[in-house]
Amino acid sequence: MSTRAQIRFATREDGVSFSEHPEKIHAQFYRHTDGYPEGLGVDIANSLINSTAVDGRSWEIESLTTKHSDLEYMYYIWQKPNDSTWISIFELRPFEDQVGECIFVGEPQKLLDKYKLNTNEKG
């Protein structure tokens, strides 16, 4: 079973909350598999912190007006020149609405601290 997600890029602006869906986005991508925070979220945070490529699973560039009814997660990457990048994650209800619940807001390292699986020799 696939865990579908959409990744959207938004500009950090005064008065716009990271825990709400912004009205304006600049780009969006679709990911058909492994869209959960421990997968895609960690990939995004690692990419932002370490300037590395996001894992090799395919991303599809989409029109800004493309809507999916079967998404399980919506990610927003908030950027502004000379300011820190923040990430918001919403858990959605597929085939119902695309508002969902905001389950994470923070900088990339905070996302790693919360979702990166423990991969040391003890588990």
Side-chain angles (χ1 to χ4, degrees), residues 9-78:
F9 292 82
T11 300
R12 291 184 60 171
E13 298 179 78
D14 291 339
V16 177
S17 170
F18 294 143
S19 62
E20 297 177 11
H21 295 274
E23 290 183 23
K24 296 185 279 183
I25 60 171
H26 306 288
Q28 72 179 17
F29 295 81
Y30 172 73
R31 180 139 163 203
H32 188 74
T33 61
D34 298 334
Y36 47 89
E38 296 85 355
L40 178 59
V42 168
D43 288 347
I44 291 170
N46 274 327
S47 180
L48 291 167
I49 291 170
N50 301 312
S51 298
T52 57
V54 174
D55 191 358
R57 294 176 191 91
S58 66
W59 289 34
E60 300 170 25
I61 298 172
E62 297 187 313
S63 165
L64 294 179
T65 58
T66 300
K67 305 226 185 267
H68 296 271
S69 61
D70 59 352
L71 296 175
E72 293 167 79
Y73 293 95
M74 178 77 70
Y75 292 78
Y76 289 96
I77 300 171
W78 301 85

Side-chain angles (χ1 to χ4, degrees), residues 1 5-6 34-35 37 44 48 50 87 89-90 99 113 118 122:
M1 180 162 156
Q6 202 165 39
D34 298 334
I44 291 170
L48 291 167
N50 301 312
I87 302 168
I89 304 173
F90 291 80
V99 175
D113 293 344
N118 182 0
K122 294 182 181 178

Side-chain angles (χ1 to χ4, degrees), residues 87-122:
I87 302 168
S88 302
I89 304 173
F90 291 80
E91 188 168 13
L92 307 176
R93 294 174 291 278
F95 304 106
E96 291 180 24
D97 64 48
Q98 296 301 301
V99 175
E101 176 186 1
C102 185
I103 61 169
F104 176 83
V105 172
E107 293 177 310
Q109 186 60 54
K110 184 178 173 187
L111 189 149
L112 289 178
D113 293 344
K114 182 172 182 175
Y115 291 108
K116 188 170 182 179
L117 300 176
N118 182 0
T119 57
N120 65 24
E121 65 275 358
K122 294 182 181 178

